[in-house]
Amino acid sequence: MTMILANILIGVTVSLGVIFILVTAIGLIRLPDIYCRTHAASKSATLGVMFILLGVFLHFWLIEGIVNTRIILGIVFLFITGPVGGHVIGRSAYLSGVKMWDQSVKDELAPVIAERKKLDEQK
Amino acid sequence: MMLFYWVMVILISLSMVAFIYRLIIGPSVPDRVVALDSLGVALIAMIGLISILADTSFFLDIILLLAILAFIGTVAFSKFLEKGEIIQRDNDLS
């Protein structure tokens, strides 16, 4: 009985994670520009891999009886670094001049960057 | 239960094929970096599932190692795109 419940729990977590990774793949193919793609890739892939690692941890804990702290450490590390990686690559894409989608309506970073360039020239 | 894990591995492989498609056709360089980052993440998930399938916990160090390597690679590449160099030269010396 306990085994069946544990298997159901692991199955639900692992399939949630795989669904999130598939959503990441669909978003990475279908979204129009780099900023939308980082939006899809950083959040959804991070949540998906966290769910899958949670399922792996539950499998080794409930079925094999091993508490493996390295998986917990991996989950925490991915939770910290996944969004940071997405932010950093989006910022470098903007600063290296990748164009936004032609139907986007708002660009709030452009005046800030123009101001900073002006301050740099005054120095 | 084994069949379930194999199906999950196959679904992750399909999403990896999608990431590789974006890696090949991506119009700009940051697109390819995003695709590589997601590829690393999918590889981590696949290693977790394969360590369940192989019934061993020896592969679980690789998860942390791959997470660290993927993050360092992404940060180094974006710094190269932004500033043109990865490790900046010290101003006081030279």
Side-chain angles (χ1 to χ4, degrees):
Chain A
M1 188 63 199
T2 331
M3 224 46 150
I4 298 173
L5 279 181
N7 273 329
I8 288 174
L9 191 60
I10 296 160
V12 167
T13 14
V14 169
S15 14
L16 265 178
V18 169
I19 286 171
F20 271 110
I21 287 187
L22 280 176
V23 165
T24 310
I26 296 170
L28 217 59
I29 285 185
R30 288 186 55 106
L31 287 176
D33 68 346
I34 168 74
Y35 307 104
C36 300
R37 281 182 212 130
T38 54
H39 176 82
S42 64
K43 285 187 269 293
S44 163
T46 308
L47 192 61
V49 79
M50 279 165 66
F51 265 123
I52 288 180
L53 289 187
L54 188 65
V56 174
F57 175 73
L58 286 176
H59 176 271
F60 279 104
W61 183 30
L62 296 176
I63 292 182
E64 319 251 326
I66 310 167
V67 177
N68 202 318
T69 42
R70 283 169 294 182
I71 308 180
I72 298 291
L73 204 60
I75 293 175
V76 172
F77 191 82
L78 277 168
F79 180 65
I80 295 171
T81 61
V84 173
H87 161 78
V88 157
I89 194 64
R91 174 192 156 91
S92 80
Y94 193 91
L95 289 182
S96 64
V98 179
K99 287 278 178 290
M100 285 164 63
W101 187 29
D102 52 354
Q103 291 179 29
S104 29
V105 287
K106 205 163 189 180
D107 187 3
E108 284 184 330
L109 192 54
V112 180
I113 297 220
E115 186 125 341
R116 206 175 73 179
K117 252 181 201 164
K118 210 192 288 172
L119 281 181
D120 278 349
E121 281 170 6
Q122 280 176 2
K123 267 180 202 169
Chain B
M1 209 58 190
M2 278 297 164
L3 185 67
F4 170 75
Y5 289 127
W6 278 115
V7 171
M8 292 296 135
V9 166
I10 288 170
L11 287 178
I12 292 181
S13 327
L14 284 182
S15 62
M16 282 167 102
V17 170
F19 296 151
I20 290 174
Y21 173 73
R22 173 54 68 192
L23 182 67
I24 292 172
I25 69 157
S28 62
V29 183
D31 277 315
R32 294 172 191 188
V33 182
V34 167
L36 270 180
D37 198 30
S38 317
L39 205 61
V41 163
L43 202 59
I44 292 169
M46 193 176 244
I47 286 173
L49 290 181
I50 282 179
S51 73
I52 288 182
L53 277 174
D55 205 9
T56 165
S57 65
F58 289 116
F59 294 152
L60 297 175
D61 290 332
I62 312 292
I63 290 174
L64 201 53
L65 196 67
L66 263 182
I68 294 170
L69 281 182
F71 178 64
I72 289 176
T74 308
V75 168
F77 219 108
S78 66
K79 199 169 176 192
F80 173 70
L81 286 176
E82 191 176 323
K83 302 204 171 99
E85 55 189 349
I86 296 174
I87 302 172
Q88 283 175 326
R89 194 174 293 171
D90 205 349
N91 279 333
D92 300 331
L93 297 174
S94 80

